[in-house]
Amino acid sequence: MRGARQAGRRWLTWGATALLLAGCGTGPGPSSQTTGDGSEATTPMPATQPPGGQDELAPFYSQKLQWGACGADVQAPDLAKCTWAQVPIDYAKPDAGTTRLRLLKVSASGKSQGALLVNPGGPGGSAVDYAASADFIVSGQIRRAFDIVGVDPRGVGHSEPLNCVDAARVDQMLGMDPTPDDEAEYNQLEDSAKSFGQACEQKYPKILGHVSTLDAARDMDIVRASLGQEKLTYLGKSYGTFLGATYAGLFPQRVGRLVLDGAIAPDLTNEQMNLGQATGFETATRAYVAACVKDGDCPLGSNLESGMTGLQQFLKKLDSQPLPVQSDPRVKKLTEGWASLGLARAMYDESSWDGLTDALRAAKRGDGTGLFELAKEYADRQDDGTYSGNIMQVITAVNCLDRGSQRKDFAAMQTLGKEFAQEAPTWGPFMVWGSTSCDQWPIKPVDEPHKISADGSAPIVVVGTTRDPATPYEWAQSLATQLQKGHLITFDGDGHTAYMRSNSCVDGAVDAYFLKGTVPADDLKC
């Protein structure tokens, strides 16, 4: 899901909580005991057993989690504890090998009602790092009531991550021309994708075919059981909504209180997803340019339409005339690829708009450093040229297993690009090529787009933002409609996702659901 990233690329959020209505209580929490070495063990409850007919999974469901210090690999607050969970690599052959999942828990500041699992998106965002910022990602009321638990999905972050190529190669892929002008450039894009897939297959032959969202959702049920929870309580953002919806489709009877913020409709094809994101980013970009013009001295133009045209011309010019970058030990040129990532980063959060305007002013003077710095944030790239996470690599592995893509020749892609450009003149030519990374992926898809109804589940709250660039509002509407017990909260605003982003109406409704089971009013608009 190209661009469907975390709720911004930073965990820092703003918000105010509000009181809402009463409801039923939560399910039972975990049973814990202290071990001889001072660590904490979580004992699974008898009610949390494998799905029917899968007794061979019982050892995974009954494992005891040993919580202790997180170690140097995780930047965690003092109250955080970490552990590992074992899951089968292949659920069809549970005895054919295992992989480890890294978990981090920040204990409730008050009396715990149980664990609230969180996932920031991606695919490839670290839920461990996300949970470590518990004070910023949920309200104070939720912090007091729940242990905040992050589980890095298999192959992600701290869970035996897939790092198929070195940092220099990732730089090369991100800096490539994202809008091929001729068949030779298109072949270069495809050759790069093919060689990347081959590198992944060579380095990770056992697990590469088992990092799908289906696998991650099954893992999440094992984690739920190992935490001693009869039902799953979960906050998923962006791609985390697809993970949560997939879980609900597989295990509807084990759905507790799920909130899916910045939703992805699970029945979207790769092409539909790319077009949806193109129009989403176009809408967000128009909102930014309008604000830029209103503020005065906008480097793009004097009105909205001239500003949008100016931005398109700027990106096109970078294709042949990249700008110098002053700050990096390895990347010396701001290409169209890097600039597009920097622009996309700013669309995730309107608080970045002033910084984007400064970067565009500098670019107009011939300095691409500011836009490259924004692109670095998007890609989790550090000042020394290393990457703090593996999202820019594992995202392809997951997406290609989840929905795959059928290869089109250059002429067909050009035609499709023109169709995209009619809907999204700025972002259509960029997003249309998003499926090429899966055209020649070495592993066949294990799933395909389909509706998820999760019949028999508890109510599931879906949150959509009207000008969300990465997960357009229409996707939230679609998911809420598909789910048998979906309930939509609409946030009229900018940026990616809504909870804990300064809207007390959204925050209050989400908190009331987690704390008391109070289902939001029908079609609540904030």
Side-chain angles (χ1 to χ4, degrees), residues 54-98:
Q54 294 184 284
D55 293 343
E56 65 273 19
L57 295 176
F60 298 101
Y61 273 78
S62 63
Q63 64 187 294
K64 293 183 178 181
L65 302 180
Q66 301 292 330
W67 296 94
C70 289
D73 63 315
V74 179
Q75 294 183 357
D78 293 339
L79 294 177
K81 295 181 179 180
C82 288
T83 191
W84 294 96
Q86 296 283 339
V87 294
I89 290 177
D90 185 350
Y91 275 89
K93 302 175 182 177
D95 58 352
T98 64

Side-chain angles (χ1 to χ4, degrees), residues 1 264-265 268-277 403 475:
M1 287 147 214
I264 293 169
L268 294 170
T269 65
N270 225 324
E271 189 173 300
Q272 290 170 330
M273 183 164 291
N274 291 336
L275 179 57
Q277 290 197 324
R403 48 178 43 84
W475 294 0

Side-chain angles (χ1 to χ4, degrees), residues 445-461:
V446 299
D447 201 3
E448 60 184 17
H450 62 281
K451 293 182 183 295
I452 294 176
S453 61
D455 294 356
S457 77
I460 298 174
V461 174

Side-chain angles (χ1 to χ4, degrees), residues 7 59 80 138 152 162 169 185 313 316 349 376 388 446 464 475 500 517:
V138 296
D152 277 352
L162 301 185
R169 177 64 194 286
E185 289 185 351
Q313 292 172 343
K316 185 173 181 61
D349 190 340
K376 282 168 54 180
S388 62
V446 299
W475 294 0
M500 289 296 291

Side-chain angles (χ1 to χ4, degrees), residues 366-380:
D367 183 2
T369 304
L371 268 175
F372 180 69
E373 291 297 317
L374 284 170
K376 282 168 54 180
E377 288 184 20
Y378 186 98
D380 283 343

Side-chain angles (χ1 to χ4, degrees), residues 20 46 60 67 81 95 149 218 238 260 267 295 297 304 307-308 326 335 340 347 390 414 443 473 499 507 513 521:
L20 272 196
F60 298 101
W67 296 94
K81 295 181 179 180
D95 58 352
V149 177
R218 292 183 176 114
S238 197
L260 309 179
D267 58 332
D295 289 343
D297 191 27
L304 174 58
M308 292 299 293
Q326 309 294 339
T335 63
S340 297
M347 294 304 104
N390 71 324
Q414 275 190 314
I443 311 293
Y473 175 64
Y499 179 60
D507 296 348
Y513 184 59

Side-chain angles (χ1 to χ4, degrees), residues 77-149:
D78 293 339
L79 294 177
K81 295 181 179 180
C82 288
T83 191
W84 294 96
Q86 296 283 339
V87 294
I89 290 177
D90 185 350
Y91 275 89
K93 302 175 182 177
D95 58 352
T98 64
T99 187
R100 298 191 304 171
L101 307 180
R102 190 67 154 152
L103 282 69
L104 179 142
K105 175 176 70 174
V106 180
S107 296
S109 59
K111 183 178 180 180
S112 177
Q113 297 181 21
L116 168 61
L117 271 67
V118 295
N119 184 283
S126 172
V128 164
D129 294 342
Y130 193 53
S133 297
D135 289 339
F136 302 102
I137 65 172
V138 296
S139 72
Q141 294 182 75
I142 301 300
R143 277 285 291 112
R144 286 189 291 274
F146 290 96
D147 302 327
I148 307 302
V149 177

Side-chain angles (χ1 to χ4, degrees), residues 260-328:
L260 309 179
D261 183 6
I264 293 169
D267 58 332
L268 294 170
T269 65
N270 225 324
E271 189 173 300
Q272 290 170 330
M273 183 164 291
N274 291 336
L275 179 57
Q277 290 197 324
T279 56
F281 274 95
E282 195 79 19
T283 299
T285 303
R286 290 182 67 86
Y288 158 70
V289 173
C292 180
V293 169
K294 184 179 179 179
D295 289 343
D297 191 27
C298 182
L300 296 172
S302 59
N303 58 61
L304 174 58
E305 296 308 325
S306 67
M308 292 299 293
T309 300
L311 183 58
Q312 294 155 23
Q313 292 172 343
F314 168 70
L315 292 172
K316 185 173 181 61
K317 186 176 180 180
L318 285 176
D319 188 6
S320 57
Q321 300 177 44
L323 294 175
V325 170
Q326 309 294 339
S327 61
D328 197 75

